[in-house]
Amino acid sequence: MKGKDWLVTGEGQYQACKSVRAWDLLRENYRLYRFLTEVEDVLNGVVDESIRLPEIRMLVRRLIVNSYWVQSQYLEPSPNTGSSVLLLYDELGFPLTVQTVTFAPGTMSTIHNHGTWGIVAVLKGQEKNTFWQRTYSPEGEEKIERTGEITLFPGDIISFTPDAIHSVQAVGDEPTVTFNIYGETDPKERFEFDPIKHSAKNF
């Protein structure tokens, strides 16, 4: 499953990325446990986030290329909320959460950050990501401003620094299914933003 790689930062900047080294993506019997072990090795061995995120991004690509099981693990979107979350891995004391998220066509998220790094791979459908940044007026009033948007397709992978702010919407005629992996969230740094009131609240 080929696609583009993206990085989003807290300044609302987003850029397409190229791997810093050649990767052999194909692996026999590349299962979730092996992926988690390799991600843990990166987390323990690589301190620089500018290197860490590309490494984990390529491990995510290796997983979705080789694991039909991962691609088939998702729930139908809830008729009440338009979305659903299937937790694949979340172990106490291990700083990772792995899940698949499904959005019905037209469903939108709130504007939010994650308070941790995150990587999202699109498995099915199309997902529009809109990016935002926090700014300050001359009077010192904090605001949130839109900086741009991209639409992701199956095979595209997007990574976020902990302070990156975005909102997502499922576009097209079919549900959007994504594979999401996040680090350990700092609850004090995870916010939902209101672009009208220019307010932020923890969630």
Side-chain angles (χ1 to χ4, degrees):
M1 184 181 285
K2 293 183 177 180
K4 293 182 178 179
D5 292 341
W6 296 87
L7 173 66
V8 187
T9 67
E11 293 77 34
Q13 301 302 308
Y14 54 99
Q15 61 185 33
C17 303
K18 292 184 178 180
S19 179
V20 294
R21 61 186 176 92
W23 279 73
D24 178 13
L25 293 176
L26 296 180
R27 287 282 191 278
E28 287 190 15
N29 300 320
Y30 193 74
R31 300 188 175 95
L32 183 63
Y33 80 89
R34 192 176 302 277
F35 165 77
L36 292 171
T37 300
E38 293 187 355
V39 171
E40 185 179 26
D41 289 344
V42 171
L43 293 175
N44 290 336
V46 181
V47 177
D48 187 343
E49 193 168 81
S50 66
I51 299 173
R52 177 187 284 181
L53 280 177
E55 292 281 311
I56 299 176
R57 203 165 53 229
M58 292 310 295
L59 292 175
V60 169
R61 185 170 297 286
R62 179 180 284 167
L63 181 66
I64 65 174
V65 163
N66 291 284
S67 176
Y68 173 77
W69 178 84
V70 164
Q71 293 202 40
S72 65
Q73 297 301 301
Y74 59 91
L75 300 173
E76 292 300 315
S78 163
N80 296 325
T81 63
S83 64
S84 65
V85 177
L86 177 61
L87 190 62
L88 299 180
Y89 184 85
D90 185 20
E91 184 176 348
L92 186 65
F94 192 60
L96 290 175
T97 300
V98 182
Q99 59 194 26
T100 54
V101 178
T102 309
F103 273 16
T107 302
M108 297 179 65
S109 77
T110 60
I111 302 170
H112 62 279
N113 70 351
H114 291 278
T116 185
W117 61 266
I119 296 175
V120 175
V122 178
L123 303 179
K124 301 178 186 294
Q126 302 173 35
E127 181 182 87
K128 182 173 74 173
N129 268 255
T130 302
F131 308 115
W132 307 76
Q133 67 172 338
R134 299 170 89 166
T135 61
Y136 295 88
S137 69
E139 296 76 31
E141 180 185 13
E142 185 175 4
K143 296 188 175 184
I144 181 169
E145 294 182 353
R146 180 183 173 279
T147 60
E149 66 182 38
I150 56 173
T151 298
L152 304 177
F153 298 88
D156 289 342
I157 298 177
I158 190 166
S159 52
F160 302 92
T161 60
D163 54 352
I165 303 170
H166 74 139
S167 56
V168 300
Q169 179 181 10
V171 295
D173 300 325
E174 62 176 326
T176 297
V177 180
T178 59
F179 173 88
N180 301 21
I181 178 171
Y182 301 106
E184 191 168 16
T185 300
D186 181 350
K188 296 178 182 178
E189 297 298 328
R190 188 181 187 198
F191 296 103
E192 181 179 293
F193 300 89
D194 185 325
I196 306 300
K197 298 179 180 178
H198 294 291
S199 62
K201 64 179 181 179
N202 289 109
F203 83 112

